[in-house]
Amino acid sequence: MAKVLKSVFFALAFMSAGLAAAELDIIGWPASAQQATPPASTPAAPGTRDGAAPPAGAGARSAVREPAAALAPDVARVLEQVARRVEALETRLIALVDEARARAIAYALWAAVGLFALMFVSSVLGGTVVALTLRRSRSA
């Protein structure tokens, strides 16, 4: 009987430690939702499409530079807005992933606690049934 109580105590202690670790977020899980940084690439020359060579001649160069210079502040503003939106989206996704991970760990631990309780109750009931069966067979 002492061995049974000792093993039940240790099982409950380990389950409590696991539950505490999940609830208090003691273990730092790796951030698997973060993507790797994209490889650095050289930007195409201004006024060109897909990195093709710009048209030859001084007049053609100035014709390309003027619209590009006029669009530069607008493009920079749009890029900043897109970068802010992407950063906000990444932050939100990381928060959602962390919340889902914590919930999954909590559910798994509660399922383990429930299964342990079910196992304990079934062993008690099974032992009672076996004891009553053996008692009747001895008395008969």
Side-chain angles (χ1 to χ4, degrees):
M1 185 69 176
K3 288 183 180 180
V4 171
L5 290 176
K6 187 177 176 182
S7 64
V8 167
F9 172 74
F10 281 121
L12 288 174
F14 284 125
M15 287 179 14
S16 300
L19 183 65
E23 289 295 323
L24 299 176
D25 198 23
I26 294 171
I27 300 171
W29 301 102
S32 59
Q34 293 180 356
Q35 297 178 355
T37 57
S41 61
T42 57
T48 63
R49 195 173 277 191
D50 299 330
R61 285 190 190 129
S62 65
V64 169
R65 285 184 185 161
E66 288 173 7
L71 288 177
D74 293 335
V75 170
R77 193 174 317 121
V78 168
L79 284 176
E80 288 174 8
Q81 289 176 354
V82 168
R84 276 186 271 142
R85 287 182 183 174
V86 167
E87 188 173 309
L89 185 61
E90 284 179 350
T91 304
R92 184 172 178 213
L93 286 176
I94 289 171
L96 288 173
V97 166
D98 289 341
E99 182 182 344
R101 182 182 301 123
R103 277 190 183 174
I105 290 171
Y107 289 155
L109 288 173
W110 280 112
V113 168
L115 287 175
F116 182 78
L118 182 66
M119 179 187 67
F120 182 76
V121 168
S122 65
S123 67
V124 168
L125 289 176
T128 305
V129 168
V130 168
L132 289 174
T133 305
L134 288 176
R135 186 176 181 187
R136 286 188 181 181
S137 67
R138 286 184 187 167
S139 64

